[in-house]
Amino acid sequence: MNPQIPVSESASERRTDYRIILDMLPPQCRVLDLGCGTGGLLTLLRDKKQARGYGIELSSQHIIECVGKGLSVFHGDIDEGLRDFEDQSFDYVIVNQTLSATHRPELVLDEVLRVGRIGIVSFANFAYWRLRFRLLFSGRMPVTESMPYEWFDTPNIHLFSIRDFRIFCRRHEARVIRSCYFNNLEGGKVSEGGTLANWSAAYALFALQKAY
Amino acid sequence: MSDQKQSNNPPKQFDDDSVGFVESRRVQLFNREEPLELECGATLNEVTVEYETYGALNQNRDNGVLVCHALSGDAHAAGWLSAEDKKPGWWDNMIGPGKALDTEKYFVICSNILGGCKGTTGPSSINPETEKPYGMDFPVITIHDMVVCQEKLIQQLGIEKLLAVVGGSMGGMQTLEWAVSFPHRVRAVIPVATTYRTSPQSIAFDEVGRQAIFNDPNWNGGDYYGQQPPERGLAIARMVGHITYLSDQSMHEKFGRNLRLREEYGYDFGQEFQVESYLHHQGTSFTKRFDANTYLYITKAMDYFDLTIGFPSLKESMRRADCKFLLIAFSSDWLFPPYQMKKMANALRYNGIDVTYVEIESDYGHDAFLLEAEKMTRMLSAFLGYLYSEPDGGNHQATI
């Protein structure tokens, strides 16, 4: 499930986060997508990069859609960790727009870096200026394109900013090997680096490695 | 190849998604020149198999789907054998036009297993050496032996490679055996509510059932054909079996503590709880259609089933497979619990094999594989639909 944003299937090729991941991954790599939803990203990676992908998904309804696309999916809850998965058994483990919906983000990040050689985490930045302004001026929980839910029905139970995430990575000995920022989930520009990202970016995507 | 021809019976009103009238066929697959060599070392000089088919084999002969039945099943998986039938085949809710195993697209085959009592050679068949029923002279068979027979049948039907093999419970064991014994003859297997290795708990229940039969005086060392069969023993075995097919929850919902025919306790040992009369009914009706010796042989075959035998680990064993897998477990199934299916799924994934594991939420216990038709239909339709549309890549192992 990609709880932050409901996205139609046809849009998947235009998805900014998908495009960044597609460019980043070498052909024929082994990919594990945590919370793979209806399998849009995995399908794209299989068709364009001949990736050997597996997904983990909680919703059996979504699994049916994945199965209909010929994908391999495990029914499971990523909050329980990846105990059946061997260390470093995947080239990439992806947590796309899902970390904020997990109950145990610390466990999830540790597991991502244990099972994958490289972890990819993308999320909506809660310190994005539009969100700050909404909160400042309306005094209410912000509801925007990147945070489209009301506080009472949001699946996102752990909201965080880009700066929070960098500190989180340091605490978990995760080295950031690449960071990308963007403001639109579909189309629009992608920038790398930039000191003002925590203010100016609606979304971020980090590639991480275990720091030894 | 279609079996959907009209029988001589008067026409009957069928639903649009029914395969209608069907007929069972028999074919001799092994003979003295080419006997069936069994895993136990014995050979069978004559093996006849009963089977049914639904839908039509296409030009490329690549739309064959084999259905493997469970302990009490038979070749009659769908449709009606005659207008007098009270019930259609045992998996009629899954096989037919537009159903999960869509007979407009797929050529569906189901055969009675080796050791069975519904047309395929088993302990109640005539032993050609003695011209009497085998009884306990029938050699002990395994799931592998059953699958060898099925493979021979598939050859005879002119199918080089099956699109899929699907089955639940003991039928699921057969699907797994197909994947490792004939990896190049099948593109996908769909094991449902099953296991790669029968657990000590399942063996324990099987043994209680067998002991009930052995201890029925009518059993007579297995030599009861033409006489009074060991119905009481077989009925008790079936009662035990039925307990394992249900769940705590489903028993609460189905029977509760309700009494039958009585308002108050009778303070005697008559059948007064509804659950008691249910089990008695299941036990008694089973004896009308099933052979006690077949029950012994089939449960033994299940007990022997262990895909890890001869391999250092399950992971090593599953390396033999080279097809896609869709594993379906049910949350309340305690006979073949989901964790066993999950372990198998992980062993397959470890080998880079395409595998999907799904645990369907259900209160029905093991019986869910026959009852959760709607959820199963959506899963199977999606899986087979993609598989059939995709050219056969042949290799479902990772190229890493």
Side-chain angles (χ1 to χ4, degrees):
Chain A
M1 193 168 63
N2 289 336
Q4 275 172 349
I5 1 91
V7 167
S8 67
E9 207 46 60
S10 57
S12 73
E13 277 204 58
R14 294 197 304 273
R15 282 267 304 249
T16 313
D17 45 355
Y18 290 8
R19 232 175 48 224
I20 299 171
I21 295 169
L22 199 59
D23 288 344
M24 198 181 285
L25 267 51
Q28 287 169 6
C29 57
R30 293 167 300 175
V31 182
L32 180 63
D33 187 358
L34 305 186
C36 63
T38 57
L41 178 59
L42 281 175
T43 306
L44 212 54
L45 293 174
R46 176 194 62 198
D47 296 346
K48 308 262 165 171
K49 286 286 169 94
Q50 294 77 49
R52 299 285 312 182
Y54 289 94
I56 298 184
E57 176 55 44
L58 192 56
S59 147
S60 52
Q61 194 51 49
H62 286 161
I63 294 177
I64 291 169
E65 293 195 41
C66 290
V67 162
K69 291 169 185 154
L71 300 170
S72 293
V73 187
F74 275 61
H75 198 174
D77 186 351
I78 58 175
D79 268 318
E80 290 169 10
L82 305 173
R83 68 175 79 89
D84 297 323
F85 290 75
E86 296 76 18
D87 292 359
Q88 306 286 291
S89 53
F90 283 87
D91 297 318
Y92 291 85
V93 178
I94 300 170
V95 192
N96 197 36
Q97 312 287 345
T98 301
L99 192 64
S100 55
T102 63
H103 286 265
R104 301 169 72 189
E106 294 196 272
L107 172 75
V108 172
L109 183 69
D110 288 343
E111 288 287 80
V112 163
L113 295 172
R114 179 182 67 78
V115 171
R117 291 197 302 114
I118 294 173
I120 294 177
V121 180
S122 80
F123 57 90
N125 172 28
F126 199 71
Y128 179 46
W129 68 270
R130 281 183 195 276
L131 292 165
R132 296 191 199 199
F133 273 43
R134 288 284 168 99
L135 185 59
L136 184 64
F137 291 115
S138 73
R140 296 186 57 196
M141 284 300 281
V143 178
T144 66
E145 186 218 15
S146 66
M147 293 279 166
Y149 298 98
E150 290 281 3
W151 66 272
F152 47 81
D153 69 356
T154 179
N156 301 313
I157 52 175
H158 284 112
L159 297 164
F160 53 96
S161 68
I162 290 170
R163 186 171 294 164
D164 286 327
F165 189 71
R166 283 189 176 276
I167 295 166
F168 186 65
C169 287
R170 271 202 294 280
R171 273 184 47 174
H172 288 264
E173 293 171 327
R175 190 163 57 86
V176 176
I177 53 177
R178 201 165 156 194
S179 49
C180 304
Y181 307 110
F182 48 98
N183 283 338
N184 299 299
L185 211 55
E186 280 185 32
K189 275 201 310 222
V190 176
S191 61
E192 295 204 28
T195 44
L196 286 174
N198 196 43
W199 167 265
S200 62
Y203 301 94
L205 184 148
F206 283 78
L208 310 165
Q209 231 169 11
K210 191 88 189 156
Y212 292 102
Chain B
M1 280 286 183
S2 171
D3 264 359
Q4 295 167 41
K5 54 181 75 160
Q6 290 288 318
S7 78
N8 297 326
N9 293 300
K12 179 171 176 144
Q13 279 302 109
F14 294 117
D15 294 334
D16 289 346
D17 60 359
S18 170
V19 295
F21 283 122
V22 297
E23 65 177 0
S24 293
R25 297 173 180 192
R26 284 185 194 183
V27 58
Q28 185 171 345
L29 294 178
F30 297 92
N31 52 43
R32 204 165 286 277
E33 284 72 51
E34 203 191 342
L36 172 60
E37 291 176 12
L38 300 167
E39 237 183 332
C40 69
T43 54
L44 281 171
N45 288 332
E46 264 185 42
V47 176
T48 299
V49 165
E50 176 153 317
Y51 69 99
E52 291 186 12
T53 65
Y54 322 102
L57 189 60
N58 66 9
Q59 204 118 48
N60 296 332
R61 298 174 173 265
D62 62 2
N63 67 336
V65 175
L66 177 68
V67 171
C68 302
H69 70 73
L71 196 155
S72 64
D74 51 31
H76 182 43
W80 307 78
L81 290 167
S82 76
E84 286 79 47
D85 284 2
K86 290 196 181 69
K87 282 195 296 189
W90 61 269
W91 224 18
D92 193 75
N93 57 5
M94 296 292 284
I95 303 167
K99 291 184 184 169
L101 306 182
D102 187 349
T103 48
E104 316 248 89
K105 284 164 82 177
Y106 313 122
F107 178 59
V108 181
I109 308 137
C110 183
S111 66
N112 187 211
I113 51 167
L114 180 68
C117 52
K118 300 293 181 64
T120 294
T121 302
S124 59
S125 307
I126 300 296
N127 180 349
E129 314 300 322
T130 64
E131 294 181 353
K132 287 186 193 138
Y134 281 101
M136 296 310 275
D137 289 338
F138 196 74
V140 169
I141 47 159
T142 62
I143 301 289
H144 176 78
D145 297 329
M146 296 173 186
V147 168
V148 168
C149 281
Q150 292 165 354
E151 196 267 348
K152 188 85 173 173
L153 173 66
I154 296 308
Q155 267 184 41
Q156 292 248 330
L157 293 172
I159 299 169
E160 188 61 33
K161 195 169 194 176
L162 286 163
L163 181 69
V165 181
V166 54
S169 197
M170 187 182 73
M173 295 176 182
Q174 295 158 47
T175 67
L176 293 169
E177 189 64 45
W178 262 95
V180 296
S181 293
F182 300 104
H184 306 301
R185 303 290 309 275
V186 58
R187 286 183 61 192
V189 297
I190 309 176
V192 182
T194 189
T195 183
Y196 63 93
R197 174 164 70 176
T198 303
S199 69
Q201 179 178 254
S202 306
I203 295 172
F205 282 112
D206 286 344
E207 176 60 3
V208 174
R210 285 191 294 263
Q211 286 301 326
I213 294 169
F214 291 148
N215 283 288
D216 185 326
N218 288 342
W219 180 62
N220 192 29
D223 183 12
Y224 54 78
Y225 299 106
Q227 300 161 47
Q228 191 62 30
E231 287 181 346
R232 272 158 56 203
L234 181 59
I236 295 171
R238 185 62 172 168
M239 287 167 77
V240 174
H242 262 280
I243 298 170
T244 67
Y245 306 152
L246 299 171
S247 72
D248 184 38
Q249 182 71 21
S250 66
M251 283 207 194
H252 271 294
E253 279 169 19
K254 211 171 166 134
F255 320 109
R257 287 183 52 85
N258 297 345
L259 302 181
R260 194 178 148 271
L261 306 174
R262 278 180 184 171
E263 297 286 304
E264 289 170 2
Y265 293 172
Y267 298 102
D268 57 26
F269 291 96
Q271 291 171 36
E272 52 184 7
F273 288 103
Q274 234 172 49
V275 64
E276 291 174 313
S277 53
Y278 170 82
L279 290 176
H280 282 281
H281 170 73
Q282 291 294 341
T284 311
S285 57
F286 190 56
T287 61
K288 308 264 183 290
R289 63 182 179 95
F290 213 79
D291 176 50
N293 284 338
T294 279
Y295 196 91
L296 300 175
Y297 278 90
I298 293 181
T299 54
K300 195 69 192 171
M302 279 200 282
D303 292 356
Y304 278 139
F305 185 66
D306 179 359
L307 281 185
T308 67
I309 280 207
F311 292 88
S313 68
L314 178 62
K315 285 174 182 165
E316 291 291 327
S317 172
M318 294 323 284
R319 184 168 291 174
R320 293 177 285 168
D322 187 19
C323 63
K324 277 184 98 151
F325 284 74
L326 172 61
L327 302 176
I328 302 176
F330 295 94
S331 58
S332 57
D333 184 352
W334 55 274
L335 186 60
F336 298 121
Y339 78 86
Q340 294 177 5
M341 299 279 278
K342 201 170 185 180
K343 193 165 173 198
M344 187 162 50
N346 279 307
L348 291 163
R349 177 184 50 74
Y350 179 82
N351 287 302
I353 292 166
D354 283 338
V355 51
T356 287
Y357 165 79
V358 63
E359 183 182 320
I360 294 178
E361 192 67 36
S362 170
D363 289 336
Y364 288 125
H366 183 60
D367 261 349
F369 88 90
L370 293 170
L371 299 172
E372 293 285 8
E374 196 198 320
K375 291 173 188 171
M376 294 257 300
T377 295
R378 277 187 280 148
M379 203 58 81
L380 263 61
S381 302
F383 184 79
L384 291 173
Y386 183 85
L387 188 71
Y388 191 47
S389 72
E390 173 200 46
D392 180 14
N395 187 3
H396 289 283
Q397 290 232 348
T399 46
I400 39 172

